[in-house]
Amino acid sequence: MYIKFDQLIRRSAWGTLALVALAGSSATAGDGTSTVTFDNGAEGWIGSQGPGGTTEIRPTGGNDDAHMYTVFNNFGITFFNDTNEAFVGDYTDADLVTISIDVKVDRVFFFSQDVSRPWLVELRDVDNAIDGYPWTSVWFKFPDISADVQSEWTTFSVTFDPNSTEIPEGWAGYGDEAPDTFEPILPRGVTFADILASVDSIVFTTLQPGFFFGFTDFEIGIDNVTVTKATTAPCIADLTGDGELDFFDVSDFLDAFGASNPIADLDDNGEYDFFDVSAFLDAFAEGCP
C-alpha cells in the first residue's frame, strides 16, 4: 500500500498555521532521523557558488540559530549533499521516508519584479544514467516559493514509500524523455525503487526538469534539513505473511501454540499461555497497518 504525507507549514510571529494533506497511516517500530541545523557547519551541504554570488553559513537568523544562506543571480539555485551518509545511499532499507527542509525567502527577483520559482527535492543516481544524461533521478515538486509567501520560515515535507516500483503521486522522473511530449521521464526499465536504492546526491533546487527560467536574483535561507527513515511495525497476527488476517492465520497460530512453536510465543517469555493467546487476539482484532 502506498502511503503519502505532504505538508506545508507556515510559521509567523503570531503563531503557526498548518496545511496538511494526509492519506493513510502506519504504525512504526522505529525510525532514524538525521537533521542538519548548520550549528555544526555544513555537514556536507553545498549551496550555489561562483560568479553569480555565494552561499555561506550565518550563525544567527535561522529557524533557530545558524542557517545556510544563498545570495545568487542565475537561472536557478541548488543546495545539494553527496557526502553525508545520512542523506545518500540506500533508502530502500526503510518502509517510509520523510524528507523536510525549512526555507525563508528574502528575495526572488526577475526584471525588477518579485516572482515565484519552483521548489523541489531531487534524488539523483549517477550509476543509472544513460545516453549522455549526467544522472537519473526522481523529484518531488513542493509549492512554488516567493518572498511574498515564504517571508517567514516555512517547512516543506514529503513522505513516501522508497520501495515503490511505480512513481508515487506528485513525483516525476529524469534521465530520459517521453517520445511524444518530450517531458523528462525515467529511462525504460528503471523504477522509482531503483533510484532510491542508490541515491548519490540529494538536492533542493529551483531548477525544475523540463523548464527554463531567465537570470533571477535569489536571496534564500535553508535550515533543519531532515531525513527520517521509518520501519513499519510487524503485524504479529499475520502469521502467513500475506498481508491479510483470516482463518489461515488463526489456524497457524493454534497449530504453533499446540506444538510450542516459538512463533506462538508472542510475549517472548518462553512460555505458551493465556497471554500469548490474548496478544494474538488483540492483534487480530486491531488489524495490520
Side-chain angles (χ1 to χ4, degrees):
M1 179 179 69
Y2 166 61
I3 302 172
K4 175 175 176 289
F5 168 28
D6 303 330
Q7 136 179 328
L8 169 63
I9 299 176
R10 175 75 181 275
R11 291 191 178 96
S12 72
W14 296 276
T16 301
L17 299 176
L19 298 176
V20 178
L22 176 61
S25 62
S26 177
T28 57
D31 59 51
T33 297
S34 300
T35 301
V36 172
T37 64
F38 301 105
D39 294 330
N40 300 312
E43 298 187 60
W45 285 97
I46 298 173
S48 297
Q49 299 278 2
T54 188
T55 296
E56 62 182 359
I57 294 177
R58 295 185 174 179
T60 59
N63 195 25
D64 293 313
D65 299 327
H67 66 296
M68 180 171 278
Y69 195 82
T70 287
V71 178
F72 208 76
N73 175 267
N74 208 327
F75 305 114
I77 60 170
T78 295
F79 302 91
F80 74 94
N81 198 321
D82 60 5
T83 58
N84 190 324
E85 293 182 357
F87 294 89
V88 298
D90 187 359
Y91 279 49
T92 61
D93 55 2
D95 296 309
L96 289 176
V97 174
T98 298
I99 298 175
S100 67
I101 186 172
D102 293 348
V103 179
K104 183 175 182 290
V105 180
D106 291 333
R107 192 182 192 200
V108 179
F109 219 51
F110 180 70
F111 274 95
S112 303
Q113 291 186 340
D114 289 313
V115 296
S116 64
R117 286 292 182 262
W119 184 243
L120 53 116
V121 60
E122 184 178 17
L123 302 170
R124 297 174 177 173
D125 176 12
V126 175
D127 297 330
N128 278 308
I130 64 169
D131 296 337
Y133 281 84
W135 56 75
T136 300
S137 70
V138 291
W139 50 277
F140 180 87
K141 185 179 180 298
F142 299 111
D144 290 353
I145 57 173
S146 68
D148 179 53
V149 178
Q150 284 82 32
S151 59
E152 302 291 339
W153 284 103
T154 303
T155 299
F156 293 90
S157 177
V158 59
T159 298
F160 56 93
D161 175 6
N163 293 284
S164 174
T165 54
E166 301 294 327
I167 295 182
E169 180 183 353
W171 288 81
Y174 171 84
D176 201 353
E177 63 179 30
D180 298 327
T181 64
F182 305 106
E183 294 179 356
I185 59 174
L186 284 177
R188 182 184 298 273
V190 177
T191 69
F192 183 81
D194 289 337
I195 304 300
L196 271 295
S198 182
V199 175
D200 292 308
S201 64
I202 176 173
V203 180
F204 292 94
T205 181
T206 64
L207 296 168
Q208 181 176 342
F211 284 76
F212 179 82
F213 298 93
F215 275 88
T216 304
D217 290 307
F218 295 92
E219 296 179 20
I220 292 178
I222 65 168
D223 203 356
N224 301 316
V225 189
T226 301
V227 170
T228 298
K229 298 179 179 180
T231 54
T232 304
C235 182
I236 60 174
D238 183 20
L239 296 187
T240 61
D242 61 359
E244 298 181 2
L245 299 183
D246 51 29
F247 165 80
F248 299 103
D249 298 298
V250 177
S251 178
D252 283 1
F253 175 77
L254 293 177
D255 289 345
F257 189 87
S260 297
N261 188 316
I263 67 171
D265 182 18
L266 299 185
D267 57 8
D268 199 29
N269 67 353
E271 298 180 3
Y272 302 87
D273 50 27
F274 164 80
F275 298 103
D276 299 304
V277 176
S278 178
F280 176 81
L281 292 176
D282 287 345
F284 192 91
E286 291 175 0
C288 289

mmCIF file of all heavy atoms in Angstrom, residues 34-62:
data_model
loop_
_atom_site.group_PDB
_atom_site.id
_atom_site.type_symbol
_atom_site.label_atom_id
_atom_site.label_comp_id
_atom_site.label_asym_id
_atom_site.label_seq_id
_atom_site.Cartn_x
_atom_site.Cartn_y
_atom_site.Cartn_z
ATOM 1 N N SER A 34 17.844 12.092 10.822
ATOM 2 C CA SER A 34 19.086 12.849 10.706
ATOM 3 C C SER A 34 18.744 14.265 10.284
ATOM 4 O O SER A 34 18.039 14.469 9.302
ATOM 5 C CB SER A 34 20.018 12.207 9.671
ATOM 6 O OG SER A 34 20.336 10.874 10.045
ATOM 7 N N THR A 35 19.242 15.244 11.047
ATOM 8 C CA THR A 35 18.950 16.645 10.777
ATOM 9 C C THR A 35 20.231 17.464 10.781
ATOM 10 O O THR A 35 21.065 17.316 11.675
ATOM 11 C CB THR A 35 17.997 17.224 11.836
ATOM 12 O OG1 THR A 35 16.781 16.466 11.846
ATOM 13 C CG2 THR A 35 17.665 18.679 11.539
ATOM 14 N N VAL A 36 20.370 18.307 9.772
ATOM 15 C CA VAL A 36 21.467 19.276 9.747
ATOM 16 C C VAL A 36 20.881 20.645 10.077
ATOM 17 O O VAL A 36 20.033 21.161 9.345
ATOM 18 C CB VAL A 36 22.168 19.306 8.372
ATOM 19 C CG1 VAL A 36 23.172 20.455 8.310
ATOM 20 C CG2 VAL A 36 22.883 17.981 8.125
ATOM 21 N N THR A 37 21.328 21.207 11.199
ATOM 22 C CA THR A 37 20.847 22.515 11.651
ATOM 23 C C THR A 37 21.819 23.632 11.295
ATOM 24 O O THR A 37 21.504 24.797 11.526
ATOM 25 C CB THR A 37 20.661 22.509 13.167
ATOM 26 O OG1 THR A 37 21.942 22.311 13.799
ATOM 27 C CG2 THR A 37 19.712 21.390 13.599
ATOM 28 N N PHE A 38 23.004 23.259 10.789
ATOM 29 C CA PHE A 38 24.074 24.181 10.425
ATOM 30 C C PHE A 38 24.736 24.830 11.643
ATOM 31 O O PHE A 38 25.627 25.666 11.490
ATOM 32 C CB PHE A 38 23.590 25.244 9.437
ATOM 33 C CG PHE A 38 23.057 24.644 8.172
ATOM 34 C CD1 PHE A 38 21.691 24.586 7.926
ATOM 35 C CD2 PHE A 38 23.917 24.086 7.238
ATOM 36 C CE1 PHE A 38 21.199 24.000 6.770
ATOM 37 C CE2 PHE A 38 23.437 23.497 6.075
ATOM 38 C CZ PHE A 38 22.078 23.458 5.846
ATOM 39 N N ASP A 39 24.324 24.423 12.842
ATOM 40 C CA ASP A 39 25.030 24.890 14.039
ATOM 41 C C ASP A 39 26.425 24.275 14.126
ATOM 42 O O ASP A 39 27.312 24.836 14.765
ATOM 43 C CB ASP A 39 24.233 24.533 15.294
ATOM 44 C CG ASP A 39 22.912 25.275 15.380
ATOM 45 O OD1 ASP A 39 22.846 26.406 14.862
ATOM 46 O OD2 ASP A 39 21.952 24.733 15.952
ATOM 47 N N ASN A 40 26.595 23.110 13.490
ATOM 48 C CA ASN A 40 27.895 22.425 13.491
ATOM 49 C C ASN A 40 28.553 22.464 12.118
ATOM 50 O O ASN A 40 29.337 21.585 11.764
ATOM 51 C CB ASN A 40 27.713 20.972 13.937
ATOM 52 C CG ASN A 40 27.143 20.861 15.329
ATOM 53 O OD1 ASN A 40 27.625 21.528 16.247
ATOM 54 N ND2 ASN A 40 26.130 20.033 15.506
ATOM 55 N N GLY A 41 28.222 23.462 11.330
ATOM 56 C CA GLY A 41 28.792 23.571 9.995
ATOM 57 C C GLY A 41 27.870 23.019 8.931
ATOM 58 O O GLY A 41 26.703 22.698 9.179
ATOM 59 N N ALA A 42 28.416 22.862 7.731
ATOM 60 C CA ALA A 42 27.605 22.465 6.583
ATOM 61 C C ALA A 42 27.236 20.991 6.591
ATOM 62 O O ALA A 42 26.218 20.601 6.008
ATOM 63 C CB ALA A 42 28.340 22.802 5.286
ATOM 64 N N GLU A 43 28.073 20.148 7.194
ATOM 65 C CA GLU A 43 27.850 18.703 7.252
ATOM 66 C C GLU A 43 27.532 18.126 5.875
ATOM 67 O O GLU A 43 26.649 17.290 5.704
ATOM 68 C CB GLU A 43 26.750 18.354 8.253
ATOM 69 C CG GLU A 43 27.107 18.762 9.683
ATOM 70 C CD GLU A 43 26.105 18.276 10.705
ATOM 71 O OE1 GLU A 43 25.932 17.041 10.798
ATOM 72 O OE2 GLU A 43 25.509 19.120 11.393
ATOM 73 N N GLY A 44 28.273 18.601 4.877
ATOM 74 C CA GLY A 44 28.156 18.070 3.521
ATOM 75 C C GLY A 44 27.278 18.883 2.599
ATOM 76 O O GLY A 44 27.307 18.676 1.381
ATOM 77 N N TRP A 45 26.496 19.820 3.122
ATOM 78 C CA TRP A 45 25.613 20.604 2.269
ATOM 79 C C TRP A 45 26.369 21.727 1.574
ATOM 80 O O TRP A 45 27.181 22.416 2.193
ATOM 81 C CB TRP A 45 24.451 21.176 3.081
ATOM 82 C CG TRP A 45 23.448 20.110 3.390
ATOM 83 C CD1 TRP A 45 23.351 19.387 4.533
ATOM 84 C CD2 TRP A 45 22.446 19.612 2.506
ATOM 85 N NE1 TRP A 45 22.344 18.466 4.418
ATOM 86 C CE2 TRP A 45 21.768 18.588 3.190
ATOM 87 C CE3 TRP A 45 22.056 19.943 1.208
ATOM 88 C CZ2 TRP A 45 20.721 17.880 2.611
ATOM 89 C CZ3 TRP A 45 21.008 19.251 0.626
ATOM 90 C CH2 TRP A 45 20.348 18.217 1.318
ATOM 91 N N ILE A 46 26.092 21.878 0.282
ATOM 92 C CA ILE A 46 26.768 22.882 -0.545
ATOM 93 C C ILE A 46 25.700 23.666 -1.297
ATOM 94 O O ILE A 46 24.792 23.086 -1.900
ATOM 95 C CB ILE A 46 27.735 22.219 -1.546
ATOM 96 C CG1 ILE A 46 28.830 21.455 -0.799
ATOM 97 C CG2 ILE A 46 28.350 23.260 -2.481
ATOM 98 C CD1 ILE A 46 29.727 20.628 -1.696
ATOM 99 N N GLY A 47 25.800 24.983 -1.254
ATOM 100 C CA GLY A 47 24.879 25.832 -1.983
ATOM 101 C C GLY A 47 25.522 26.415 -3.220
ATOM 102 O O GLY A 47 26.709 26.185 -3.505
ATOM 103 N N SER A 48 24.767 27.184 -3.965
ATOM 104 C CA SER A 48 25.250 27.779 -5.213
ATOM 105 C C SER A 48 26.455 28.684 -4.953
ATOM 106 O O SER A 48 26.447 29.496 -4.034
ATOM 107 C CB SER A 48 24.124 28.567 -5.883
ATOM 108 O OG SER A 48 23.060 27.718 -6.243
ATOM 109 N N GLN A 49 27.475 28.533 -5.793
ATOM 110 C CA GLN A 49 28.698 29.330 -5.698
ATOM 111 C C GLN A 49 29.158 29.691 -7.101
ATOM 112 O O GLN A 49 28.816 29.023 -8.065
ATOM 113 C CB GLN A 49 29.822 28.539 -5.002
ATOM 114 C CG GLN A 49 29.529 28.108 -3.583
ATOM 115 C CD GLN A 49 29.784 29.214 -2.569
ATOM 116 O OE1 GLN A 49 30.143 30.332 -2.933
ATOM 117 N NE2 GLN A 49 29.594 28.904 -1.299
ATOM 118 N N GLY A 50 29.950 30.757 -7.201
ATOM 119 C CA GLY A 50 30.506 31.116 -8.496
ATOM 120 C C GLY A 50 30.338 32.586 -8.793
ATOM 121 O O GLY A 50 30.068 33.394 -7.890
ATOM 122 N N PRO A 51 30.466 32.959 -10.078
ATOM 123 C CA PRO A 51 30.371 34.375 -10.454
ATOM 124 C C PRO A 51 29.038 35.026 -10.089
ATOM 125 O O PRO A 51 28.964 36.243 -9.931
ATOM 126 C CB PRO A 51 30.557 34.336 -11.981
ATOM 127 C CG PRO A 51 31.286 33.063 -12.253
ATOM 128 C CD PRO A 51 30.804 32.094 -11.226
ATOM 129 N N GLY A 52 27.989 34.215 -9.943
ATOM 130 C CA GLY A 52 26.675 34.780 -9.660
ATOM 131 C C GLY A 52 26.435 35.153 -8.217
ATOM 132 O O GLY A 52 25.434 35.792 -7.905
ATOM 133 N N GLY A 53 27.316 34.734 -7.323
ATOM 134 C CA GLY A 53 27.096 35.047 -5.923
ATOM 135 C C GLY A 53 27.778 34.057 -5.005
ATOM 136 O O GLY A 53 28.798 33.461 -5.365
ATOM 137 N N THR A 54 27.197 33.839 -3.839
ATOM 138 C CA THR A 54 27.848 32.988 -2.853
ATOM 139 C C THR A 54 26.823 32.365 -1.920
ATOM 140 O O THR A 54 25.677 32.824 -1.814
ATOM 141 C CB THR A 54 28.854 33.800 -2.023
ATOM 142 O OG1 THR A 54 29.613 32.914 -1.190
ATOM 143 C CG2 THR A 54 28.138 34.820 -1.148
ATOM 144 N N THR A 55 27.264 31.315 -1.248
ATOM 145 C CA THR A 55 26.488 30.672 -0.191
ATOM 146 C C THR A 55 27.347 30.609 1.053
ATOM 147 O O THR A 55 28.535 30.264 0.979
ATOM 148 C CB THR A 55 26.054 29.254 -0.602
ATOM 149 O OG1 THR A 55 25.168 29.326 -1.718
ATOM 150 C CG2 THR A 55 25.337 28.551 0.545
ATOM 151 N N GLU A 56 26.756 30.925 2.192
ATOM 152 C CA GLU A 56 27.502 30.924 3.445
ATOM 153 C C GLU A 56 26.621 30.421 4.575
ATOM 154 O O GLU A 56 25.392 30.321 4.423
ATOM 155 C CB GLU A 56 27.981 32.339 3.780
ATOM 156 C CG GLU A 56 26.842 33.326 3.993
ATOM 157 C CD GLU A 56 27.326 34.731 4.285
ATOM 158 O OE1 GLU A 56 28.545 34.928 4.344
ATOM 159 O OE2 GLU A 56 26.473 35.623 4.468
ATOM 160 N N ILE A 57 27.267 30.068 5.681
ATOM 161 C CA ILE A 57 26.529 29.714 6.891
ATOM 162 C C ILE A 57 26.517 30.934 7.802
ATOM 163 O O ILE A 57 27.573 31.453 8.180
ATOM 164 C CB ILE A 57 27.157 28.507 7.603
ATOM 165 C CG1 ILE A 57 27.023 27.264 6.727
ATOM 166 C CG2 ILE A 57 26.483 28.270 8.954
ATOM 167 C CD1 ILE A 57 27.665 26.027 7.306
ATOM 168 N N ARG A 58 25.320 31.390 8.135
ATOM 169 C CA ARG A 58 25.169 32.525 9.024
ATOM 170 C C ARG A 58 24.843 32.014 10.423
ATOM 171 O O ARG A 58 23.954 31.163 10.594
ATOM 172 C CB ARG A 58 24.074 33.460 8.520
ATOM 173 C CG ARG A 58 24.441 34.095 7.172
ATOM 174 C CD ARG A 58 23.412 35.108 6.725
ATOM 175 N NE ARG A 58 23.858 35.809 5.511
ATOM 176 C CZ ARG A 58 23.148 36.748 4.886
ATOM 177 N NH1 ARG A 58 21.949 37.107 5.364
ATOM 178 N NH2 ARG A 58 23.630 37.327 3.799
ATOM 179 N N PRO A 59 25.518 32.515 11.453
ATOM 180 C CA PRO A 59 25.363 31.956 12.805
ATOM 181 C C PRO A 59 24.037 32.287 13.468
ATOM 182 O O PRO A 59 23.657 31.645 14.448
ATOM 183 C CB PRO A 59 26.532 32.581 13.572
ATOM 184 C CG PRO A 59 26.834 33.842 12.838
ATOM 185 C CD PRO A 59 26.559 33.553 11.396
ATOM 186 N N THR A 60 23.334 33.285 12.975
ATOM 187 C CA THR A 60 22.055 33.671 13.564
ATOM 188 C C THR A 60 21.018 33.856 12.455
ATOM 189 O O THR A 60 21.353 33.868 11.274
ATOM 190 C CB THR A 60 22.176 34.986 14.355
ATOM 191 O OG1 THR A 60 22.626 36.027 13.473
ATOM 192 C CG2 THR A 60 23.165 34.829 15.509
ATOM 193 N N GLY A 61 19.761 34.024 12.873
ATOM 194 C CA GLY A 61 18.689 34.306 11.921
ATOM 195 C C GLY A 61 18.020 33.083 11.351
ATOM 196 O O GLY A 61 17.086 33.197 10.549
ATOM 197 N N GLY A 62 18.490 31.891 11.738
ATOM 198 C CA GLY A 62 17.882 30.667 11.219
ATOM 199 C C GLY A 62 16.620 30.317 11.981
ATOM 200 O O GLY A 62 16.093 31.093 12.772
#
